[in-house]
Amino acid sequence: MSTVVREQDLEALVVGVTLLGSGGGGDTGAFGRMLRRRLGAGELVLRDAADVPGVSVSPIGVVGATSVLMEKLPSGGEFDTAVRAVSRWTGAEVTGLMSLEAGGLNGLTPLIAALDLDLPVVDADLMGRALPRLDQFSWAVAGRALTPCALSEPSGQVIVVDNVDAAGLERAVRSFVAQTGGWAVLALAPTAVEAAAADAVQGSLTRALTLGRAYAALDPGATPAVIAADLGGRLLASGRVDEVARHLITDGGAAFGRGSLCVVDSGSRAVIRIETENEYLLALVDGTPVVSTPDLLCVLDRRTLQPIAVDEVRTGDEVLVLALPGPNWWRRPDRLTHVGPRAFGLACEPLLLEEAS
């Protein structure tokens, strides 16, 4: 079933993709404003794959440093350049778009690109949330090639990458964005929509919109447990951030932020520690692991209920720590190995909520 997005839905959609970011995925605010300007009083349809037979879909999104991206926003031309380049290389026309990841700003990227290029959007993505690495795309996990693909950066430079695996593409992307503007638009090869959706998380943007609408209906005066339940999740803590630790690690020349934060629950006095990278990854209560990626860990400001990103949480913040179900696609054991705690160097098996969506 298709989902129609209008101007009055955008605030909910922005909040929804932010929550699917699990503390990462970049700043959605600026992209939300871009989308609002592009959409105006019009509407955009998130189409089920079955509703657009014959469409050739390119998954598209932004890769690189989102902090740099906020200093130099896309002009819109980067989308067209990347799509045209991958079309020329493959000899196949792109007639539809889908998202690389539903969490964070890339949940909004294909909508902006679709309005700029006048193409339909398929309601599916390759992660169902935010994750940091290209080898964590569902296509890669399912054994599909990620190349050929095209990268376009703000000054107009474009490259095509072909005949490499996910790790090789990761290295090519890092090298390209390091030498250019710090970020680029990535467009994967056009693929028949039936095949594209078969190895993707379907309905992810509709889920973001539904989650955002539930968030908009929250009563800030409700108990923390009710707030968590109204979002379809579980409360882990309501209290004060007691400690935040951050450090950098290097891997193949790239630097990643790792860290943890501790929250002391105001009622039970339990200590909740959250291990982080680009996203919140693992929650432990008094040293016992309780919930992990690929389920969603979200930290909300206790007063405003605004989601707090990994790099914005500070000692002394009064917060709610919630766990929300992650995408069903990842819950098979062979897939969990790619996105569970051990995939991030954390010595813990995946711990998921009973219900997933």
Side-chain angles (χ1 to χ4, degrees), residues 45-272:
V45 182
L46 307 176
R47 302 184 184 277
D48 187 272
D51 294 336
V52 283
V55 166
S56 188
V57 176
S58 174
I60 193 168
V62 172
V63 293
T66 56
S67 57
V68 177
L69 176 63
M70 291 305 104
E71 297 173 6
K72 186 174 183 180
L73 293 170
S75 66
E78 301 88 354
F79 305 125
D80 182 62
T81 301
V83 166
R84 288 179 181 274
V86 78
S87 293
R88 287 196 305 271
W89 185 261
T90 60
E93 183 182 3
V94 173
T95 55
L97 300 174
M98 60 185 277
S99 177
L100 291 177
E101 61 179 338
L105 59 85
N106 271 332
L108 307 176
T109 298
L111 309 186
I112 297 170
L115 290 168
D116 286 347
L117 305 181
D118 193 25
L119 292 173
V121 179
V122 175
D123 187 7
D125 80 300
L126 305 187
M127 290 182 169
R129 49 159 295 156
L131 292 164
R133 302 197 310 264
L134 302 187
D135 66 338
Q136 292 169 322
F137 285 160
S138 61
W139 278 13
V141 172
R144 297 178 64 95
L146 300 181
T147 60
C149 62
L151 288 156
S152 172
E153 54 87 29
S155 67
Q157 186 177 183
V158 61
I159 65 169
V160 172
V161 183
D162 202 355
N163 294 323
V164 297
D165 60 12
L169 178 58
E170 186 91 43
R171 290 191 295 271
V173 169
R174 291 178 188 174
S175 176
F176 183 62
V177 300
Q179 301 301 319
T180 56
W183 64 270
V185 168
L186 172 65
L188 302 189
T191 303
V193 66
E194 295 82 4
D199 292 318
V201 181
Q202 299 192 43
S204 45
L205 296 182
T206 293
R207 189 207 171 180
L209 184 57
T210 300
L211 192 58
R213 286 170 173 164
Y215 175 91
L218 292 176
D219 176 6
T223 66
V226 167
I227 289 171
D230 286 348
L231 288 176
R234 169 184 163 194
L235 177 71
L236 300 183
S238 173
R240 182 186 298 269
V241 177
D242 186 62
E243 182 181 11
V244 178
R246 296 186 175 96
H247 60 277
L248 288 176
I249 62 169
T250 57
D251 179 14
F256 295 90
R258 284 276 178 86
S260 63
L261 62 103
C262 290
V263 177
V264 178
D265 186 81
S266 57
S268 67
R269 307 307 297 171
V271 176
I272 290 79

Side-chain angles (χ1 to χ4, degrees), residues 1-28:
M1 178 181 293
S2 298
T3 301
V4 178
V5 177
R6 300 183 177 87
E7 183 178 15
Q8 60 266 32
D9 301 311
L10 294 185
E11 185 174 350
L13 182 62
V14 169
V15 171
V17 298
T18 301
L19 292 172
L20 292 183
S22 192
D27 183 359
T28 57

